[in-house]
Amino acid sequence: MVAMSGGVDSSAAAAILKEQYEVTGVTLRLFTNEDIQLDKSRTCCSLDDVEDARSVAAKLGIPFYVYNFGERFRECVIDRFNSAYINGLTPNPCIDCNRFIKFDALLKRAEILGQDYIATGHYVRRRYNESSGRYQLLKGIDPTKDQSYVLYAMTQQQLSKSLFPIGELTKTKTRELADSLGLINANKPDSQDICFVPDGDYASFIEKYMGRSFPEGDFTDLQGNVLGRHKGIIRYTIGQRKGLGIALGAPAYVVSKDMDNNRVILGTNNDLFGDTAYANDVNWLSVERPDKPIRVQARVRYNQKEQPATLYPLESGNIKVVFDKPQRAITPGQALVCYDEELLLGGGTCCSEADALK
């Protein structure tokens, strides 16, 4: 069962697998555009994308179905996204979508229907390690498209039942393959935004979806001095400079948020750097949990190159990662993902030291 978004990557994945397996294409309807007044041209879940996927399936001569996972998507992705934001976190909903929808709900559907594997168009690779008896997740060979970061939460069982046929390809080769097969979406642009948030305006989406507004409050400096007024605390993220609407005579950045007192704390760019990150809700995927400190390469956001660090397993089951060099804007709610070169070891959700020690 191939999850087909309507984009070129999953279409190429279906084409490759058709040479080896009996393939069924499926597209997931996670919401309707009308539900959240979405501009369908900017989402991977629009009616146009469903029709693109259907067209590719017809071209390849494979069965095609559309499954409605809207209720689970609302519960496991949208509601979690909203809850994180109103609690001062900056989540990555793509991780939750993969964790709860594609590699959980969809896999269970495939098993019910008697299918051996699910497959996606992610740029990652899978291998089985004979000595450890574990399936392992590796980066895709195209460093500009590697998507392993958003799959760190997979389980061994899920990874054993998942195929990633384009992980060995570059994006250019994927498009060339689709073009050679005459697929309608060979040159279709990649989606950029979170699929359910119109125009990237997270705050407006949350207010509209939840039917509530977030009041103004104080901007303060690190010493607690009031600098001005903000327009609602969910409108600001760690590291933000633009859109503050405040002039201090020098560049100001959001360095933290005090949700209890509705305050946004500003500082300099230097105030954003730190060498220590903590994470909870940790998942060890390709290896067993270490019982002593290990050297890793880690990143704290999707579009970041891995940085050398030392990982310390905590008694709580959570982790502490100390980077060799300070990192900018380590943000609660984002994923902290650790690697050994191309091998994804595991990851968790960035949190405070107090939360990591619980």
Side-chain angles (χ1 to χ4, degrees):
M1 179 179 287
V2 182
M4 300 178 67
S5 67
V8 64
D9 297 330
S10 55
S11 297
I16 292 169
L17 290 174
K18 183 174 179 288
E19 302 303 314
Q20 308 169 56
Y21 299 94
E22 293 181 16
V23 172
T24 298
V26 299
T27 294
L28 307 183
R29 290 309 306 271
L30 306 177
F31 52 81
T32 64
N33 294 332
E34 292 76 12
D35 284 343
I36 50 178
Q37 299 182 5
L38 206 64
D39 175 358
K40 68 179 181 180
S41 68
R42 302 194 60 162
T43 169
C44 64
C45 306
S46 71
L47 288 173
D48 284 351
D49 290 317
V50 172
E51 292 311 309
D52 285 350
R54 192 188 307 276
S55 171
V56 169
K59 182 76 173 180
L60 296 176
I62 62 175
F64 176 78
Y65 302 96
V66 178
Y67 295 152
N68 186 347
F69 284 1
E71 183 175 350
R72 184 164 177 82
F73 186 78
R74 284 191 296 274
E75 175 186 345
C76 296
V77 181
I78 296 180
D79 289 351
R80 285 171 63 90
F81 174 86
N82 291 341
S83 176
Y85 254 99
I86 65 176
N87 283 288
L89 307 177
T90 303
N92 186 324
C94 295
I95 292 173
D96 281 342
C97 186
N98 286 312
R99 182 179 185 180
F100 298 111
I101 307 299
K102 293 175 184 172
F103 296 99
D104 182 46
L106 181 61
L107 177 56
K108 289 174 180 175
R109 179 71 60 89
E111 289 174 337
I112 290 171
L113 296 175
Q115 289 168 301
D116 298 315
Y117 298 99
I118 62 169
T120 68
H122 285 101
Y123 285 90
V124 295
R125 293 171 291 153
R126 183 196 74 153
R127 73 182 180 197
Y128 182 72
N129 185 294
E130 293 282 355
S131 61
S132 68
R134 294 178 74 91
Y135 284 89
Q136 298 181 322
L137 188 71
L138 295 89
K139 297 178 184 176
I141 65 166
D142 186 340
T144 67
K145 290 297 178 181
D146 167 56
Q147 294 171 298
S148 58
Y149 178 88
V150 297
L151 299 184
Y152 82 85
M154 291 184 72
T155 67
Q156 276 291 299
Q157 191 270 341
Q158 291 167 353
L159 192 53
S160 73
K161 297 290 186 179
S162 300
L163 301 176
F164 307 104
I166 65 169
E168 300 282 353
L169 302 182
T170 64
K171 184 72 176 195
T172 299
K173 291 295 185 182
T174 299
R175 291 197 184 280
E176 289 176 355
L177 172 62
D179 186 58
S180 71
L181 295 172
L183 303 186
I184 191 173
N185 53 11
N187 295 303
K188 186 175 181 177
D190 293 339
S191 58
Q192 300 296 325
D193 298 329
I194 293 174
C195 65
F196 57 87
V197 179
D199 300 322
D201 188 348
Y202 308 147
S204 293
F205 168 79
I206 293 168
E207 289 181 333
K208 181 186 299 183
Y209 197 90
M210 299 188 72
R212 58 176 288 192
S213 59
F214 293 82
E216 294 184 355
D218 289 332
F219 280 125
T220 73
D221 62 19
L222 291 167
Q223 290 71 46
N225 300 307
V226 176
L227 304 174
R229 299 285 287 175
H230 66 68
K231 298 180 180 179
I233 200 164
I234 65 168
R235 299 184 182 280
Y236 306 91
T237 57
I238 308 302
Q240 179 177 336
R241 176 184 175 185
K242 295 181 179 179
L244 300 182
I246 187 169
L248 298 178
Y253 299 83
V254 176
V255 297
S256 64
K257 298 194 289 185
D258 178 355
M259 303 303 290
D260 291 338
N261 297 296
N262 193 27
R263 298 189 306 172
V264 176
I265 294 87
L266 305 181
T268 67
N269 189 54
N270 287 339
D271 293 325
L272 287 167
F273 284 82
D275 65 1
T276 304
Y278 294 89
N280 57 14
D281 194 18
V282 175
N283 181 60
W284 291 99
L285 178 54
S286 299
V287 297
E288 297 283 354
R289 179 182 183 272
D291 57 8
K292 60 184 179 181
I294 60 172
R295 291 291 291 172
V296 299
Q297 299 88 45
R299 50 173 152 158
V300 292
R301 62 182 55 83
Y302 183 78
N303 292 313
Q304 180 193 30
K305 181 177 174 57
E306 294 83 32
Q307 302 296 316
T310 301
L311 181 149
Y312 297 88
L314 302 175
E315 290 184 4
S316 61
N318 299 321
I319 57 175
K320 171 185 177 181
V321 172
V322 179
F323 290 93
D324 292 3
K325 297 180 179 179
Q327 302 298 304
R328 185 180 186 276
I330 298 171
T331 304
Q334 289 286 288
L336 171 61
V337 181
C338 299
Y339 296 81
D340 179 3
E341 301 300 336
E342 64 178 0
L343 179 67
L344 187 151
L345 303 175
T349 304
C350 289
C351 65
S352 67
E353 179 180 3
D355 285 341
L357 295 176
K358 289 179 181 177

